[in-house]
Amino acid sequence: MQIKGLPEGSRTFPLLAGTKRPAGGRGHLDASVRHVPEGNYGVALDGQFLVVDIDDPDRVPEDFHERLYNSPTWTQNTRRGVHFLFTVPEGFKGTNAQIPGLAGDLKVNGYIVGPGSEVEGHIYTVRDMSRPQPAPKWLLDL
């Protein structure tokens, strides 16, 4: 089932109301394409997506800014910044990492808060509903 605002095939799971914390079970490990979100929910990344999580858009180096902000990929506003979502190659086994010189990080394991969820009075909103693009090599190498 396609969920409005989410890339096709996204696996979701419930979060506690008003938070980023899983509502029970094993969180993103229990995520399913059959879960229809109500209230806050998470979107599992594991083996499917890579997200560049920018916490302070004003502190993004110029070269990095150009490559990210000119990528026609699924993007959402968070309570502090932006998520850029990319697909990963089948079998990709990366790890989450801090990006040197950037106020943010790279996530390939775990989850992100889904659009429409509210955390600390901020509603996560989709800013670009484009299909997530394959992660460029320069991101995979990070």
Side-chain angles (χ1 to χ4, degrees), residues 1 13-14 22 25 34-36 47 65 71 74 76 78-79 85 94-95 99 107 115 121 124 133:
M1 165 185 286
F13 62 98
R34 292 180 301 280
H35 173 257
V36 178
H65 186 280
S71 297
W74 187 93
Q76 83 170 338
T78 68
R79 71 189 160 112
L85 194 69
T95 58
I99 302 171
K107 296 178 185 174
Y124 285 60
Q133 296 301 302

Side-chain angles (χ1 to χ4, degrees), residues 48-95:
Q48 187 173 14
F49 298 117
L50 172 151
V51 69
V52 179
D53 180 5
I54 305 294
D55 291 330
D56 186 350
D58 294 332
R59 292 184 46 213
V60 176
E62 189 174 325
D63 64 327
F64 206 88
H65 186 280
E66 286 181 27
R67 290 191 277 181
L68 275 180
Y69 284 83
N70 292 328
S71 297
T73 197
W74 187 93
T75 309
Q76 83 170 338
N77 294 319
T78 68
R79 71 189 160 112
R80 291 186 303 213
V82 184
H83 285 156
F84 294 90
L85 194 69
F86 297 91
T87 60
V88 294
E90 191 170 328
F92 179 74
K93 300 286 185 209
T95 58

